[in-house]
PDB file of all heavy atoms in Angstrom:
ATOM      1  N   LEU A  91     159.755  77.859 297.820  1.00  0.00           N
ATOM      2  CA  LEU A  91     158.364  77.419 297.744  1.00  0.00           C
ATOM      3  C   LEU A  91     157.997  77.050 296.309  1.00  0.00           C
ATOM      4  O   LEU A  91     157.362  76.015 296.059  1.00  0.00           O
ATOM      5  CB  LEU A  91     157.430  78.511 298.262  1.00  0.00           C
ATOM      6  CG  LEU A  91     157.404  78.715 299.777  1.00  0.00           C
ATOM      7  CD1 LEU A  91     156.761  80.045 300.132  1.00  0.00           C
ATOM      8  CD2 LEU A  91     156.648  77.570 300.463  1.00  0.00           C
ATOM      9  N   GLN A  92     158.379  77.893 295.354  1.00  0.00           N
ATOM     10  CA  GLN A  92     158.039  77.645 293.956  1.00  0.00           C
ATOM     11  C   GLN A  92     158.773  76.440 293.388  1.00  0.00           C
ATOM     12  O   GLN A  92     158.223  75.731 292.531  1.00  0.00           O
ATOM     13  CB  GLN A  92     158.334  78.892 293.123  1.00  0.00           C
ATOM     14  CG  GLN A  92     157.359  80.040 293.398  1.00  0.00           C
ATOM     15  CD  GLN A  92     157.669  81.286 292.599  1.00  0.00           C
ATOM     16  OE1 GLN A  92     158.826  81.524 292.233  1.00  0.00           O
ATOM     17  NE2 GLN A  92     156.663  82.093 292.329  1.00  0.00           N
ATOM     18  N   ASP A  93     159.983  76.200 293.866  1.00  0.00           N
ATOM     19  CA  ASP A  93     160.778  75.100 293.318  1.00  0.00           C
ATOM     20  C   ASP A  93     160.512  73.766 293.996  1.00  0.00           C
ATOM     21  O   ASP A  93     160.593  72.713 293.354  1.00  0.00           O
ATOM     22  CB  ASP A  93     162.278  75.418 293.437  1.00  0.00           C
ATOM     23  CG  ASP A  93     162.698  76.581 292.544  1.00  0.00           C
ATOM     24  OD1 ASP A  93     161.932  76.926 291.622  1.00  0.00           O
ATOM     25  OD2 ASP A  93     163.786  77.149 292.786  1.00  0.00           O
ATOM     26  N   GLU A  94     160.202  73.795 295.304  1.00  0.00           N
ATOM     27  CA  GLU A  94     160.122  72.557 296.072  1.00  0.00           C
ATOM     28  C   GLU A  94     158.701  72.173 296.491  1.00  0.00           C
ATOM     29  O   GLU A  94     158.331  70.998 296.447  1.00  0.00           O
ATOM     30  CB  GLU A  94     160.990  72.670 297.332  1.00  0.00           C
ATOM     31  CG  GLU A  94     162.468  72.951 297.050  1.00  0.00           C
ATOM     32  CD  GLU A  94     163.240  73.319 298.298  1.00  0.00           C
ATOM     33  OE1 GLU A  94     162.795  72.943 299.403  1.00  0.00           O
ATOM     34  OE2 GLU A  94     164.281  74.002 298.190  1.00  0.00           O
ATOM     35  N   VAL A  95     157.914  73.167 296.900  1.00  0.00           N
ATOM     36  CA  VAL A  95     156.590  72.862 297.464  1.00  0.00           C
ATOM     37  C   VAL A  95     155.496  72.854 296.401  1.00  0.00           C
ATOM     38  O   VAL A  95     154.700  71.900 296.318  1.00  0.00           O
ATOM     39  CB  VAL A  95     156.247  73.863 298.592  1.00  0.00           C
ATOM     40  CG1 VAL A  95     154.814  73.635 299.097  1.00  0.00           C
ATOM     41  CG2 VAL A  95     157.237  73.712 299.737  1.00  0.00           C
ATOM     42  N   ILE A  96     155.429  73.885 295.578  1.00  0.00           N
ATOM     43  CA  ILE A  96     154.318  74.011 294.624  1.00  0.00           C
ATOM     44  C   ILE A  96     154.271  72.859 293.621  1.00  0.00           C
ATOM     45  O   ILE A  96     153.188  72.289 293.382  1.00  0.00           O
ATOM     46  CB  ILE A  96     154.366  75.380 293.902  1.00  0.00           C
ATOM     47  CG1 ILE A  96     154.317  76.516 294.931  1.00  0.00           C
ATOM     48  CG2 ILE A  96     153.222  75.496 292.904  1.00  0.00           C
ATOM     49  CD1 ILE A  96     153.183  76.427 295.943  1.00  0.00           C
ATOM     50  N   PRO A  97     155.409  72.438 293.014  1.00  0.00           N
ATOM     51  CA  PRO A  97     155.337  71.283 292.110  1.00  0.00           C
ATOM     52  C   PRO A  97     154.842  70.021 292.811  1.00  0.00           C
ATOM     53  O   PRO A  97     154.109  69.223 292.226  1.00  0.00           O
ATOM     54  CB  PRO A  97     156.799  71.115 291.637  1.00  0.00           C
ATOM     55  CG  PRO A  97     157.411  72.459 291.814  1.00  0.00           C
ATOM     56  CD  PRO A  97     156.766  73.029 293.043  1.00  0.00           C
ATOM     57  N   ALA A  98     155.247  69.835 294.078  1.00  0.00           N
ATOM     58  CA  ALA A  98     154.806  68.658 294.835  1.00  0.00           C
ATOM     59  C   ALA A  98     153.306  68.711 295.096  1.00  0.00           C
ATOM     60  O   ALA A  98     152.603  67.698 294.980  1.00  0.00           O
ATOM     61  CB  ALA A  98     155.570  68.562 296.155  1.00  0.00           C
ATOM     62  N   VAL A  99     152.780  69.897 295.425  1.00  0.00           N
ATOM     63  CA  VAL A  99     151.340  70.060 295.654  1.00  0.00           C
ATOM     64  C   VAL A  99     150.562  69.742 294.371  1.00  0.00           C
ATOM     65  O   VAL A  99     149.547  69.031 294.394  1.00  0.00           O
ATOM     66  CB  VAL A  99     151.023  71.498 296.132  1.00  0.00           C
ATOM     67  CG1 VAL A  99     149.515  71.755 296.120  1.00  0.00           C
ATOM     68  CG2 VAL A  99     151.576  71.724 297.539  1.00  0.00           C
ATOM     69  N   GLN A 100     151.039  70.235 293.231  1.00  0.00           N
ATOM     70  CA  GLN A 100     150.360  69.960 291.960  1.00  0.00           C
ATOM     71  C   GLN A 100     150.444  68.482 291.606  1.00  0.00           C
ATOM     72  O   GLN A 100     149.496  67.914 291.051  1.00  0.00           O
ATOM     73  CB  GLN A 100     150.967  70.816 290.854  1.00  0.00           C
ATOM     74  CG  GLN A 100     150.637  72.298 291.015  1.00  0.00           C
ATOM     75  CD  GLN A 100     150.901  73.104 289.756  1.00  0.00           C
ATOM     76  OE1 GLN A 100     152.019  73.103 289.247  1.00  0.00           O
ATOM     77  NE2 GLN A 100     149.891  73.788 289.263  1.00  0.00           N
ATOM     78  N   ASP A 101     151.570  67.858 291.945  1.00  0.00           N
ATOM     79  CA  ASP A 101     151.740  66.429 291.697  1.00  0.00           C
ATOM     80  C   ASP A 101     150.735  65.608 292.498  1.00  0.00           C
ATOM     81  O   ASP A 101     150.118  64.669 291.983  1.00  0.00           O
ATOM     82  CB  ASP A 101     153.162  66.021 292.099  1.00  0.00           C
ATOM     83  CG  ASP A 101     153.850  65.218 291.019  1.00  0.00           C
ATOM     84  OD1 ASP A 101     153.436  65.344 289.850  1.00  0.00           O
ATOM     85  OD2 ASP A 101     154.803  64.486 291.342  1.00  0.00           O
ATOM     86  N   ILE A 102     150.584  65.960 293.767  1.00  0.00           N
ATOM     87  CA  ILE A 102     149.630  65.259 294.630  1.00  0.00           C
ATOM     88  C   ILE A 102     148.218  65.374 294.061  1.00  0.00           C
ATOM     89  O   ILE A 102     147.442  64.411 294.056  1.00  0.00           O
ATOM     90  CB  ILE A 102     149.678  65.825 296.068  1.00  0.00           C
ATOM     91  CG1 ILE A 102     151.040  65.552 296.705  1.00  0.00           C
ATOM     92  CG2 ILE A 102     148.567  65.225 296.934  1.00  0.00           C
ATOM     93  CD1 ILE A 102     151.316  66.377 297.959  1.00  0.00           C
ATOM     94  N   ALA A 103     147.873  66.555 293.559  1.00  0.00           N
ATOM     95  CA  ALA A 103     146.523  66.792 293.022  1.00  0.00           C
ATOM     96  C   ALA A 103     146.232  65.974 291.773  1.00  0.00           C
ATOM     97  O   ALA A 103     145.074  65.864 291.361  1.00  0.00           O
ATOM     98  CB  ALA A 103     146.340  68.283 292.716  1.00  0.00           C
ATOM     99  N   ASN A 104     147.262  65.371 291.166  1.00  0.00           N
ATOM    100  CA  ASN A 104     147.071  64.549 289.971  1.00  0.00           C
ATOM    101  C   ASN A 104     146.743  63.100 290.285  1.00  0.00           C
ATOM    102  O   ASN A 104     146.563  62.296 289.360  1.00  0.00           O
ATOM    103  CB  ASN A 104     148.334  64.593 289.092  1.00  0.00           C
ATOM    104  CG  ASN A 104     148.481  65.915 288.363  1.00  0.00           C
ATOM    105  OD1 ASN A 104     147.485  66.548 288.003  1.00  0.00           O
ATOM    106  ND2 ASN A 104     149.715  66.348 288.155  1.00  0.00           N
ATOM    107  N   HIS A 105     146.664  62.743 291.565  1.00  0.00           N
ATOM    108  CA  HIS A 105     146.356  61.343 291.908  1.00  0.00           C
ATOM    109  C   HIS A 105     145.000  60.950 291.315  1.00  0.00           C
ATOM    110  O   HIS A 105     144.033  61.703 291.410  1.00  0.00           O
ATOM    111  CB  HIS A 105     146.334  61.149 293.426  1.00  0.00           C
ATOM    112  CG  HIS A 105     146.313  59.708 293.829  1.00  0.00           C
ATOM    113  ND1 HIS A 105     145.164  58.965 293.879  1.00  0.00           N
ATOM    114  CD2 HIS A 105     147.323  58.866 294.178  1.00  0.00           C
ATOM    115  CE1 HIS A 105     145.448  57.726 294.243  1.00  0.00           C
ATOM    116  NE2 HIS A 105     146.753  57.648 294.444  1.00  0.00           N
TER     117      HIS A 105
END
Side-chain angles (χ1 to χ4, degrees):
L91 286 164
Q92 289 179 333
D93 293 343
E94 301 169 23
V95 175
I96 302 309
V99 169
Q100 290 195 303
D101 229 23
I102 295 165
N104 286 328
H105 192 277

